[in-house]
Each structure stands twice: as structure tokens, then as C-alpha cells.
Amino acid sequence: MVRVLLVITLLGCVLVDAPEAIAGDGGAVTTQNQEAIRLSKAGELSPAIGIWLSLLAETGTDYEYRWVFHKNIGRNYQKLGRLPEAWWHLTRAWELSGGGKSQKLLTWVGEVETAMGADHTRVHLEGEVDGTTVRFPNDEHGFRYRTPLDWWFPRGAQLLQVSAPNREATTRSFTVTAETRTVTLALPLPEGLGVLVLRADPAAE
């Protein structure tokens, strides 16, 4: 795999050693990444996010520079004020980078947590069916987050779409309070449409 030093100039991001192409892709990853950078520099943050999300799907979990896509997505979401999404992608970037590629990641995560303040609660989402994913209704890109999943919810009523392999997507609502810690998403095993069961576990005394 041929590599070059690619300067990621996206809104203050640091220099990143990124691959020119992955085997057999004809340079498509680099081309799409550069287009996302161009859009971001032009202020088209959401379209750029869409490209990076598609690259996450195209490159697979073993792709060495996957953390860079998460970082750029998180930074764009941060600038758009989409703080739960920003927190998740920046945290994921830190995890995938091994914690040493960009110390700024921790700074950005801290900034997002501070901005969310006392109005949000960190909730752990669990799926009782393997491969359960959730989609948030305000996500125009349709990105599906795999459980188990930590997410910051604003206090109050929530709505999300839940699906799992061989199950049809089901939309359900639940309420998040300051005491909510875990929500379990259960899709029953019988054939046909399942009924989603939500259990919100308060913090332990």
C-alpha cells in the first residue's frame, strides 16, 4: 500500500499520515476524503460528514486511518452544535487512535462535555439481540450506531429507531431523567414484528 503525507487542513486539524489508496480501490478513498475536506473548508459541514460516514462503511473496521474520519466527523458535528454526535465520534477517534495520535482529541471531548453541561445525561444503551443498532430521528445521514452504546441525551422524551438482523426496524420512545443510567432494547425472538421493550434503570443508591 503506497502512502503519502496528506495534510488535513480541516478547520484546525493536525497533520495526518493518511494512505493514498487502499488495495484495489483506485484511489477512491483519497479522492472522497479530499472532497470532504474541500466541502468543510467551504462551510458545507453536513455534506462533508456524509462523505466521511460513507467512508467508514466502505473501508471497514480494520482500516488503519478510520480514526481520522471519526475525528473529522466529530469536529464538524461540534461546530454544528450536534454535541452528542460530536462526543461519540471524537471519543471513538481517541479509542481507535490508541490514545496517542492527537492529544487535541481529549481537549475537544472535554469541550463537548462541558457544553452539554447539566442538561444532558449519559445513558448506556444495550441491545438484547446481537447486532442491535439504533438510529436517531434528527440524523439526516441515516447513520446506525451499534449497541452497546453510550450516548448523551437531553433530559426529557426521546425517540429512536431500533433494528437488528432479521428484524424490522421499530420506533419507540422513552424518557431520560437525571437518574437514568441504562436503557435495554429488547426485540423478542418470535417470528413477525417484535414489540420493543425499554427498561430504564435508575442510578444505584
Side-chain angles (χ1 to χ4, degrees):
M1 177 170 59
V2 179
R3 298 179 182 174
V4 296
L5 186 65
L6 176 64
V7 179
I8 303 294
T9 57
L10 168 59
L11 301 170
C13 288
V14 298
L15 292 178
V16 178
D17 178 21
E20 178 178 312
I22 58 175
D25 78 342
V29 170
T30 298
T31 300
Q32 292 179 69
N33 186 61
Q34 290 173 339
E35 174 62 10
I37 293 170
R38 185 193 67 78
L39 289 170
S40 290
K41 292 173 68 176
E44 299 292 333
L45 303 183
S46 185
I49 288 172
I51 292 175
W52 280 314
L53 289 173
S54 69
L55 286 175
L56 287 176
E58 292 174 19
T59 54
T61 57
D62 59 346
Y63 187 65
E64 183 178 1
Y65 297 97
R66 191 174 179 84
W67 72 275
V68 177
F69 301 147
H70 279 293
K71 178 183 71 174
N72 293 338
I73 292 166
R75 286 292 283 157
N76 275 15
Y77 271 134
Q78 186 178 2
K79 292 172 173 63
L80 288 169
R82 301 275 291 274
L83 300 180
E85 291 92 340
W87 180 87
W88 190 86
H89 284 283
L90 290 171
T91 301
R92 189 67 179 134
W94 172 257
E95 294 168 350
L96 292 176
S97 72
K101 297 289 179 64
S102 175
Q103 292 298 318
K104 287 186 177 181
L105 286 168
L106 286 182
T107 300
W108 293 328
V109 169
E111 290 174 354
V112 170
E113 291 182 353
T114 298
M116 286 188 289
D119 295 332
H120 287 67
T121 299
R122 182 172 174 175
V123 177
H124 184 70
L125 299 177
E126 281 280 359
E128 287 190 353
V129 177
D130 289 344
T132 296
T133 61
V134 299
R135 175 184 175 184
F136 298 93
N138 63 342
D139 182 3
E140 65 271 27
H141 302 293
F143 189 74
R144 306 203 68 91
Y145 296 83
R146 182 177 295 273
T147 61
L149 169 71
D150 282 357
W151 196 263
W152 289 84
F153 289 95
R155 308 280 168 75
Q158 307 298 327
L159 186 71
L160 50 80
Q161 188 182 77
V162 182
S163 64
N166 302 315
R167 302 290 192 275
E168 292 194 29
T170 304
T171 300
R172 287 294 184 267
S173 62
F174 58 97
T175 300
V176 170
T177 70
E179 289 73 36
T180 306
R181 292 295 178 268
T182 301
V183 171
T184 302
L185 311 172
L187 288 170
L189 296 178
E191 293 295 329
L193 292 177
V195 177
L196 178 66
V197 178
L198 296 172
R199 294 201 303 268
D201 300 329
E205 295 293 335

